[in-house]
Amino acid sequence: MIERDTVEGSPLLDPSTLSDGDIHGDPPGRLKVGGAAFELREDSLWISDSNYVEESKGFSCFGLRPNNRKNNNTQIILYHYILWSEIIQNTLTITYAERTTKTRLTPKTLTYTVTSTSNNSYLESWITNLLHRSNHTAKKRKRIKVLINPFGGQGKAAKYYARDIEPIFRAAKCDISVETTQRKSHAGVIAEEIDIERWDVIACCSGDGLPYEVFNGLARKPDAKVALGKIAVVQLPCGTGNAMSLNLNGTDNPAFAALAVVKGLRTSLDLVSITQGDTRTLSFLSQSVGIVAESDLGTENLRWMGNARFTYGFLVRLLGKTVWPCDIAVGVEIDDKTAIRDEYRKYHGQTTGGDSKIISSSSSELDTPNETLTTSISAGAGLPPLRYGTINDPLPPSWTLTPYPNLGNFYCGNMAYMTADTNFFPAALPSDGCLDLVTIPGDIPLKRSLTLLDSVGKGRIFEQPDVRYRKVSGYRIVPREAEGYVSIDGERVPFEGFQAEVHRGLGTTLSRSGRGYEASGPVLPG
């Protein structure tokens, strides 16, 4: 959400000092049209119009700045909320998103008559300047292929799209085409067949399941690498799990997510090859074995509890000291929490673009493809080759298979937020070429277990001494037990060994900043 802040500086240009059609500035920043005066300020559009009457005296957080000026005919609209502007039949129109309730955005259009004395070329230049300030480097009028999952969450995706999302897209003059998925994996089929020259974005009105299908559908194209780099995959939160939107849009509200997509900047995204058996799939979010996978996939019978089922499942297994013995081999990049925090801060303090990398000389960049790479995996022929081979190959020379007889949780994430109140991987970055790996013993004392559980909800898990936090470029995990759950991006896969390998910046998405996730970074005591 855009934070409200105070407005400093001189009052808006006095309309009486301008003639109709006057333009000031290069590029044009001030003008008067239809009796109203306009001024492009640093982060907002100011409009002085005698016909405008302020609706309330208090703060107004619907895209307009709090108006505490003596001149209450001044309307102030943050650029982030401006959707479009143009001249239609001698009428200047400015369309913006107004926050009509706590959770709703409604497009509103202001209109001003352009007189015959107005200089249309300068008006067009002023509009160009306004739209540039409102969108910065984000592409305007995005071409969006919308996929709606009618079965996800509580089955309300179609309602959310019609009420909250489509009006924002249309007001921003986006080129949209809507398709409703008919069955599981249908979104993947659509993505596999999509014309990558026709669309800029595939927007999933769903939970995190549809983006998973879409990434894997694009991965099955003969030109998979090109397709994944060309089309941005985004999520519009309409499901139970909306982690992708929380991380990239900063919200799990459909309307605000739609606005974030309209304003979204192209951002490179690491994708992860998962090899299991003779299959190769892509993961964009997380992989888990142990307590997190069990709390998610093992509580399907408790869906009536809503999101509380995850907490319930987590608590039962944590207090029960449940363990999942495994053997794990890891390609470690950074194994020290202080170093991880420092690299994160360095990234945000010194980088300027979405494609910057946290690790400038990662050893993973120097590895050559495994000479014994199996050729039995045919899916995803257009994907990059696997540097570390597959689960069926010998371990890379730098990896060692280590027994974890008391493993309680193996959780690997590519994004920070896993739920709205769980910043599980605070050091995660979109394209640093690493996964953030958390391992936790399953037999820690009860008091420390309760502290650990409390820290999850408070976003303080990174600093807990029982939590081992590493930056990794790949890993292999082999469960010792015969039964259990493996979760890949929230999807259940066979409970057997699998191997993961990060592909730096292989995928593309949209984000608010073009740099990082909408989450607080790692903190350590002192």
Side-chain angles (χ1 to χ4, degrees):
M1 292 294 300
I2 293 292
E3 296 291 335
R4 295 175 301 181
D5 54 351
T6 59
V7 178
E8 301 295 340
S10 59
L12 182 69
L13 183 67
D14 184 353
S16 64
T17 65
L18 290 175
S19 301
D20 205 42
D22 273 359
I23 310 287
H24 288 254
D26 185 18
R30 295 179 175 182
L31 69 110
K32 183 178 179 182
V33 171
F38 304 80
E39 186 173 351
L40 302 181
R41 292 287 183 102
E42 182 177 355
D43 61 356
S44 54
L45 167 64
W46 288 41
I47 308 172
S48 181
D49 184 359
S50 60
N51 295 319
Y52 170 75
V53 178
E54 187 183 16
E55 294 183 2
S56 65
K57 297 296 183 182
F59 281 101
S60 173
C61 52
F62 44 72
L64 307 185
R65 280 287 184 77
N67 185 8
N68 53 11
R69 299 243 171 243
K70 293 181 179 180
N71 175 11
N72 59 5
N73 296 127
T74 299
Q75 190 173 9
I76 306 170
I77 310 174
L78 292 172
Y79 291 135
H80 180 73
Y81 290 85
I82 292 176
L83 299 172
W84 193 248
S85 181
E86 61 184 341
I87 298 174
I88 303 176
Q89 297 180 345
N90 295 324
T91 300
L92 170 65
T93 67
I94 299 172
T95 302
Y96 65 97
E98 179 180 80
R99 187 168 182 172
T100 51
T101 70
K102 184 178 180 180
T103 60
R104 297 282 300 279
L105 288 173
T106 302
K108 296 293 180 71
T109 299
L110 305 174
T111 60
Y112 305 90
T113 301
V114 178
T115 67
S116 58
T117 60
S118 298
N119 188 325
N120 282 352
S121 64
Y122 280 102
L123 284 173
E124 293 287 357
S125 296
W126 185 87
I127 291 172
T128 298
N129 192 7
L130 170 63
L131 293 177
H132 173 73
R133 290 168 179 255
S134 301
N135 295 277
H136 300 290
T137 59
K139 181 174 181 177
K140 299 182 285 292
R141 307 187 71 167
K142 293 181 174 74
R143 302 171 301 167
I144 306 175
K145 177 68 175 181
V146 178
L147 304 182
I148 299 177
N149 178 10
F151 310 109
Q154 298 178 339
K156 296 181 179 179
K159 173 184 175 181
Y160 293 149
Y161 175 74
R163 185 190 69 186
D164 300 319
I165 298 168
E166 183 179 32
I168 298 294
F169 283 175
R170 293 203 180 279
K173 302 297 184 180
C174 293
D175 177 4
I176 55 179
S177 173
V178 182
E179 189 165 352
T180 300
T181 58
Q182 304 298 318
R183 59 191 180 280
K184 185 176 177 61
S185 301
H186 187 199
V189 174
I190 296 171
E192 186 176 1
E193 298 174 351
I194 200 168
D195 180 359
I196 64 173
E197 300 297 334
R198 172 67 179 87
W199 302 105
D200 303 310
V201 180
I202 299 179
C204 303
C205 296
S206 65
D208 294 312
L210 246 60
Y212 172 80
E213 291 184 20
V214 168
F215 278 123
N216 280 282
L218 294 174
R220 291 192 293 270
K221 283 181 166 291
D223 56 347
K225 188 174 180 180
V226 174
L228 289 164
K230 191 172 185 63
I231 293 190
V233 180
V234 302
Q235 185 222 0
L236 295 163
C238 299
T240 302
N242 300 302
M244 189 177 191
S245 180
L246 286 164
N247 284 284
L248 297 165
N249 302 325
T251 181
D252 59 0
N253 176 284
F256 288 99
L259 178 61
V261 168
V262 166
K263 303 287 183 170
L265 301 171
R266 285 177 61 86
T267 304
S268 295
L269 181 68
D270 290 344
L271 295 177
V272 185
S273 276
I274 305 294
T275 61
Q276 186 179 54
D278 291 330
T279 65
R280 177 183 179 181
T281 57
L282 289 183
S283 168
F284 76 95
L285 179 60
S286 66
Q287 310 92 47
S288 62
V289 176
I291 195 168
V292 170
E294 298 276 336
S295 300
D296 181 3
L297 302 175
T299 59
E300 289 289 330
N301 61 318
L302 301 176
R303 279 191 171 272
W304 57 270
M305 295 179 65
N307 287 335
R309 71 183 175 93
F310 301 107
T311 304
Y312 172 79
F314 197 95
L315 183 62
V316 167
R317 289 158 178 81
L318 187 67
L319 298 182
K321 297 185 178 181
T322 311
V323 297
W324 291 267
C326 294
D327 296 315
I328 304 172
V330 181
V332 179
E333 301 296 335
I334 309 179
D335 194 16
D336 177 75
K337 289 183 180 179
T338 299
I340 290 173
R341 180 200 58 187
D342 292 346
E343 287 287 351
Y344 182 92
R345 291 179 174 177
K346 180 180 178 181
Y347 171 92
H348 279 283
Q350 297 182 0
T351 60
T352 57
D355 293 332
S356 297
K357 312 298 189 288
I358 186 172
I359 300 171
S360 59
S361 58
S362 168
S363 62
S364 65
E365 292 299 305
L366 306 178
D367 284 308
T368 57
N370 193 325
E371 295 298 331
T372 60
L373 173 62
T374 180
T375 58
S376 63
I377 298 178
S378 58
L383 293 175
L386 295 170
R387 299 190 306 274
Y388 300 137
T390 77
I391 186 66
N392 301 319
D393 295 318
L395 281 173
S398 60
W399 296 12
T400 301
L401 203 61
T402 304
Y404 282 72
N406 63 338
L407 181 71
N409 189 34
F410 178 97
Y411 203 8
C412 213
N414 193 38
M415 295 186 177
Y417 282 111
M418 293 294 114
T419 65
D421 56 357
T422 309
N423 182 3
F424 214 100
F425 303 104
L429 292 165
S431 57
D432 64 352
C434 288
L435 285 165
D436 288 32
L437 173 60
V438 167
T439 51
I440 305 173
D443 55 359
I444 59 179
L446 176 59
K447 183 177 180 180
R448 295 201 333 240
S449 294
L450 293 174
T451 300
L452 184 61
L453 179 63
D454 183 60
S455 73
V456 172
K458 293 181 178 179
R460 309 283 294 187
I461 193 169
F462 180 83
E463 62 199 63
Q464 298 305 311
D466 290 307
V467 173
R468 188 176 185 185
Y469 197 111
R470 289 173 280 181
K471 286 278 187 180
V472 306
S473 55
Y475 64 84
R476 179 180 297 184
I477 180 168
V478 182
R480 295 184 184 178
E481 301 292 337
E483 296 182 357
Y485 293 92
V486 174
S487 174
I488 307 295
D489 293 356
E491 302 294 319
R492 185 178 182 179
V493 302
F495 188 68
E496 59 187 52
F498 65 93
Q499 184 162 308
E501 175 181 315
V502 182
H503 303 290
R504 177 177 285 177
L506 176 62
T508 306
T509 187
L510 301 176
S511 69
R512 285 174 60 103
S513 67
R515 297 179 58 198
Y517 295 127
E518 301 295 309
S520 300
V523 177
L524 287 174

